[in-house]
Amino acid sequence: MAREIVLDTETTGFDPKTGDRLIEVGCIEIDDLLPTGRTFHRFVNPERLIPPDATRVHGITDDKVKDAPKFAAIVHDLVEFIGDAPIIAHNAQFDRNFIDYEFGLCRHGLYEEARWIDTLKLAQTRFPGMPNSLDALCKRFKVSLTDRTFHGALIDARLLAEVYLELRGGKERRLDLSTARTVASTAVMATAGGHGARPRPLAPRSTEAERETHLAFLRGTLKDHSLWQAYGLEVGAA
């Protein structure tokens, strides 16, 4: 696996062709299906009012973005963060429509379709006929939603990164790699004829008095029938 970017957007509505605009974008960088800790997050001034219905979904008000930069002012930072990585989004066509529209206004080249990975399609293939919204997948995979009061681009990107890991079988794959390392390590030790760093022989855990009592028992009770004689050892030998 290579570097990938999980992306989510919040908008004023459903369709940029009818005047809706992007107002928030959040990205999570993952490498080999694990978050690296690098993120990208910006609020964007949409240059229009945000409908109340949209605010009820994501909690973003006109006051919150009135002093935010316009998309043209953040586009280069966004493009630099994404780099040449594949872009993962849930219902990716929605996010792609808005990114393409904003890129077009900035006269920036568009990302080709092949770079977009749609987790909704991945989920529909794995769970046909079942609810496959991000919320439904989080519940199915036991991804906590406790920190999410409203939809938010960076919050949803974090949730989606966890869901994407599950959809790709990341936990099982890491387990397999861990098992492989354990088997390889065991094979090396077996070849070397050792048991790692453990001392051989192990240090005695009995006290000297306990050992003397045991030897007295063997001498006085077992006499010629000591188990140790089968190994050519005398009772009480060092």
Side-chain angles (χ1 to χ4, degrees):
M1 282 291 175
R3 178 179 181 268
E4 297 171 297
I5 298 297
V6 181
L7 177 145
D8 188 73
T9 62
E10 299 300 335
T11 66
T12 64
F14 297 105
D15 190 352
K17 293 179 181 178
T18 61
D20 288 313
R21 299 289 299 275
L22 184 147
I23 54 177
E24 186 186 19
V25 58
C27 299
I28 303 288
E29 180 186 64
I30 61 176
D31 192 358
D32 196 24
L33 295 180
L34 292 173
T36 66
R38 292 190 66 223
T39 64
F40 178 92
H41 178 242
R42 296 287 191 279
F43 286 107
V44 176
N45 186 331
E47 303 179 76
R48 56 154 290 170
L49 296 177
I50 303 172
D53 286 347
T55 297
R56 278 192 285 270
V57 173
H58 48 57
I60 301 172
T61 63
D62 294 320
D63 284 342
K64 192 167 187 176
V65 295
K66 67 179 181 180
D67 296 323
K70 297 176 183 179
F71 188 84
I74 71 158
V75 63
H76 293 297
D77 291 340
L78 175 62
V79 169
E80 182 178 7
F81 183 85
I82 293 175
D84 59 359
I87 305 164
I88 297 129
H90 197 70
N91 190 16
Q93 191 60 56
F94 177 88
D95 299 281
R96 185 185 173 201
N97 285 343
F98 278 91
I99 293 294
D100 284 355
Y101 182 78
E102 299 292 346
F103 275 12
L105 292 179
C106 300
R107 300 182 182 278
H108 191 284
L110 307 184
Y111 293 131
E112 60 272 20
E113 183 178 359
R115 286 187 58 181
W116 291 86
I117 298 172
D118 191 348
T119 50
L120 177 58
K121 291 181 179 178
L122 293 178
Q124 288 171 336
T125 299
R126 183 167 173 181
F127 306 109
M130 298 179 66
N132 286 306
S133 66
L134 180 56
D135 281 8
L137 291 170
C138 284
K139 292 174 183 177
R140 190 171 303 147
F141 290 129
K142 295 180 173 57
V143 175
S144 175
L145 294 167
T146 54
D147 294 334
R148 186 209 206 193
T149 305
F150 293 102
H151 286 263
L154 191 59
I155 292 172
D156 284 1
R158 291 186 189 280
L159 295 174
L160 183 56
E162 294 190 55
V163 166
Y164 180 62
L165 167 63
E166 296 283 359
L167 288 171
R168 288 298 197 195
K171 289 183 179 178
E172 290 81 359
R173 191 173 57 83
R174 291 208 308 276
L175 179 61
D176 289 343
L177 289 175
S178 177
T179 302
R181 284 194 295 267
T182 301
V183 171
S185 177
T186 303
V188 169
M189 289 195 301
T191 302
H195 296 275
R198 190 174 71 178
R200 296 187 66 190
L202 292 175
R205 302 186 66 178
S206 59
T207 66
E208 184 176 351
E210 289 171 336
R211 292 193 293 276
E212 288 295 334
T213 300
H214 179 64
L215 288 174
F217 169 77
L218 292 176
R219 293 191 190 100
T221 304
L222 300 181
K223 296 183 180 179
D224 298 305
H225 304 290
S226 171
L227 173 67
W228 306 113
Q229 289 182 356
Y231 294 92
L233 298 175
E234 295 293 336
V235 173

